[in-house]
Amino acid sequence: MGDLSSKTGWWAWSTKKKVLIFGTVALVIVALGVGLGVGLGIGLRNSGDDDSDNDNDGTGSGAPNTTTPTNTTVKWQPAVGTKWQIILKSGDGAAISTSVDAPIYDIDLFDNNKTVISDLQKMGRKVICYFSAGSFEDWRNDAGDFHDTDKGEDLDGWPGEKWLNVTSPNVRKIMQARLDIAVEKGCDGVDPDNIDGYDNENGLNLTKSQAINYVNWLASQSHSRGLSVGLKNGGDIIDSVIDNMQWCVNEQCAEYKECDTYASFIQADKPVFHIEYPKGESTNDNKSVTTSQVKSACTANSSGNFSTVIKNMGLDNWVEYCS
Ligand SMILES: *[C@@H]1O[C@H](CO)[C@@H](O)[C@H](O)[C@H]1NC(C)=O
Ligand SMILES: *[C@@H]1O[C@H](CO)[C@@H](O)[C@H](O)[C@H]1NC(C)=O
Ligand SMILES: *[C@@H]1O[C@H](CO)[C@@H](O)[C@H](O)[C@H]1NC(C)=O
Ligand SMILES: *[C@@H]1O[C@H](CO)[C@@H](O)[C@H](O)[C@H]1NC(C)=O
Ligand SMILES: *[C@@H]1O[C@H](CO)[C@@H](O)[C@H](O)[C@H]1NC(C)=O
Ligand SMILES: *[C@@H]1O[C@H](CO)[C@@H](O)[C@H](O)[C@H]1NC(C)=O
Ligand SMILES: *[C@@H]1O[C@H](CO)[C@@H](O)[C@H](O)[C@H]1NC(C)=O
Ligand SMILES: *[C@@H]1O[C@H](CO)[C@@H](O)[C@H](O)[C@H]1NC(C)=O
């Protein structure tokens, strides 16, 4: 229950933060363009490529930054355009509703038990299990396993969540245990969130190359357990991880005009599970959105074959699809 409101807070934060980031990126681009003239392209490329650093940690298995798939025997590759539903919370704390007819469900790893997952699968559905891989959440039952030194700044606007040091062997050990839970519960795949701390004030000096290493590591850990995996947001690192991903989950690319970036998944024959939140931060009701809101969510450039859902930020059962 705490999680419902907090999740709402996090999404809300995420939206505001994105606006901020956009402003910053625009400023940086302007500064580079003005200051360096021709150097713009080179400057941006270098910042993405600069090191492959440090991340071979004690728990090992720091996957190399490679575009070679970590495991060519991935069990489940969903098709482009597959309809999906994401429901992290029920409205009232009871079991999630399975009433929406969609062949893929993305549900919270911790808040749903094995029975809920196998019931979905008996209905012919695949189940993706959501967890936060890049933030500490103080209400989870493994919260005590994190070291204080693993934690960075609070996720702004959402007390109880802190950015994590994704190079920490301890963090990685905890994530391996979470992947083991996903296996034990019978999930078909996982949706590891918050891998883009580098794009936020995180207090840990997280870098893009650390995120690339982490996401590729999560992929190899998932694949070796028979789980499929997708990239959550993280548009800047797509090229360095896409070969190891079976899909991506994107929030608000239509709102922020970023759908072109994520369309590289479609070109690679991998679905883009795309969420828009036209109601904004604080409205979580069962009402339809307007025709023009549907149009904005569903007709963004390059989003033609995306698997788009229009959702409340609370990620409850309510959903609208593009017609
Ligand atoms: C699984 O969760 C559902 C819904 O919350 C509950 O009704 C059921 O008793 C649980 N089953 C087990 C085995 O814990
Ligand atoms: C993150 O973890 C790595 C590996 O343990 C460590 O070397 C590094 O100092 C940590 N970063 C911070 C900011 O504490
Ligand atoms: C982050 O980098 C800055 C500049 O190099 C340094 O002063 C600061 O101590 C670093 N912070 C952490 C948590 O490592
Ligand atoms: C690849 O994944 C399969 C399960 O899908 C697993 O049995 C196998 O051990 C994995 N191989 C490697 C090298 O990780
Ligand atoms: C990772 O590999 C990709 C593809 O070869 C490359 O574009 C990217 O720059 C690499 N990233 C790092 C941090 O080495
Ligand atoms: C939306 O509908 C669900 C049942 O589908 C109900 O549990 C929930 O309370 C409703 N929410 C609102 C805000 O009316
Ligand atoms: C879509 O692409 C066209 C042509 O490239 C461009 O003129 C238009 O502004 C774009 N629209 C949006 C919403 O990005
Ligand atoms: C979607 O994919 C189909 C099949 O590849 C293609 O023919 C069609 O042009 C695509 N639609 C859009 C809007 O990109």
Side-chain angles (χ1 to χ4, degrees):
M1 172 155 155
D3 350 12
L4 176 54
S5 55
S6 39
K7 223 5 134 182
T8 306
W10 151 240
W11 298 119
W13 169 84
S14 172
T15 308
K16 280 181 230 142
K17 200 72 187 182
K18 271 198 155 174
V19 172
L20 227 158
I21 288 161
F22 264 68
T24 312
V25 167
L27 268 177
V28 168
I29 288 170
V30 167
L32 276 172
V34 169
L36 302 176
V38 337
L40 180 59
I42 294 162
L44 291 176
R45 178 156 270 281
N46 283 346
S47 74
D49 282 357
D50 53 7
D51 62 19
S52 42
D53 80 14
N54 76 10
D55 310 344
N56 274 325
D57 55 11
T59 53
S61 349
N65 170 28
T66 172
T67 53
T68 306
T70 58
N71 189 329
T72 50
T73 59
V74 166
K75 277 191 194 157
W76 175 50
Q77 172 59 65
V80 165
T82 309
K83 184 179 176 183
W84 72 308
Q85 158 73 320
I86 177 165
I87 171 168
L88 297 188
K89 303 293 165 198
S90 57
D92 51 8
I96 58 160
S97 168
T98 57
S99 63
V100 170
D101 182 17
I104 297 177
Y105 265 63
D106 189 344
I107 67 178
D108 191 276
L109 169 66
F110 288 101
D111 296 339
N112 294 285
N113 64 28
K114 203 172 172 157
T115 311
V116 170
I117 292 166
S118 63
D119 284 351
L120 279 164
Q121 289 163 335
K122 280 178 203 148
M123 299 164 98
R125 296 165 179 169
K126 294 287 189 185
V127 179
I128 297 172
C129 296
Y130 167 98
F131 65 96
S132 183
S135 76
F136 166 80
E137 300 169 312
D138 69 2
W139 65 93
R140 298 302 186 187
N141 55 19
D142 60 1
D145 297 340
F146 292 92
H147 299 154
D148 285 346
T149 51
D150 292 333
K151 303 170 199 166
E153 283 188 23
D154 288 345
L155 272 66
D156 196 6
W158 166 220
E161 266 192 78
K162 291 175 187 293
W163 292 107
L164 286 172
N165 182 350
V166 300
T167 70
S168 155
N170 185 53
V171 167
R172 292 190 176 204
K173 199 171 85 190
I174 292 164
M175 296 308 154
Q176 286 174 313
R178 290 179 173 187
L179 291 170
D180 289 341
I181 294 172
V183 171
E184 198 273 321
K185 290 191 175 182
C187 310
D188 297 291
V190 288
D191 175 14
D193 195 13
N194 298 317
I195 51 75
D196 56 354
Y198 63 85
D199 223 358
N200 296 274
E201 270 180 40
N202 56 70
L204 297 158
N205 291 336
L206 296 172
T207 66
K208 238 190 318 191
S209 68
Q210 289 171 346
I212 290 166
N213 180 282
Y214 190 48
V215 169
N216 283 329
W217 177 83
L218 284 165
S220 77
Q221 292 294 316
S222 300
H223 294 158
S224 65
R225 287 169 175 76
L227 299 164
S228 297
V229 67
L231 176 66
K232 176 71 180 293
N233 296 324
D236 321 294
I237 66 170
I238 291 174
D239 288 349
S240 301
V241 303
I242 188 169
D243 286 356
N244 292 328
M245 300 292 116
Q246 282 69 65
W247 62 79
C248 81
V249 177
N250 167 266
E251 295 172 283
Q252 294 156 289
C253 73
E255 184 176 346
Y256 295 112
K257 301 192 181 0
E258 300 174 323
C259 293
D260 296 314
T261 302
Y262 292 91
S264 41
F265 276 89
I266 303 294
Q267 275 134 36
D269 266 327
K270 296 172 181 187
V272 176
F273 298 120
H274 167 219
I275 314 171
E276 292 293 328
Y277 304 113
K279 294 178 188 177
E281 300 167 12
S282 44
T283 304
N284 290 288
D285 60 22
N286 291 328
K287 295 187 184 134
S288 302
V289 296
T290 66
T291 310
S292 86
Q293 285 172 321
V294 171
K295 188 163 181 266
S296 305
C298 296
T299 63
N301 280 349
S302 307
S303 74
N305 282 319
F306 287 14
S307 303
T308 298
V309 289
I310 300 171
K311 296 287 297 183
N312 292 325
M313 279 198 186
L315 294 175
D316 54 21
N317 192 46
W318 183 84
V319 61
E320 229 175 294
Y321 292 94
C322 305
S323 47

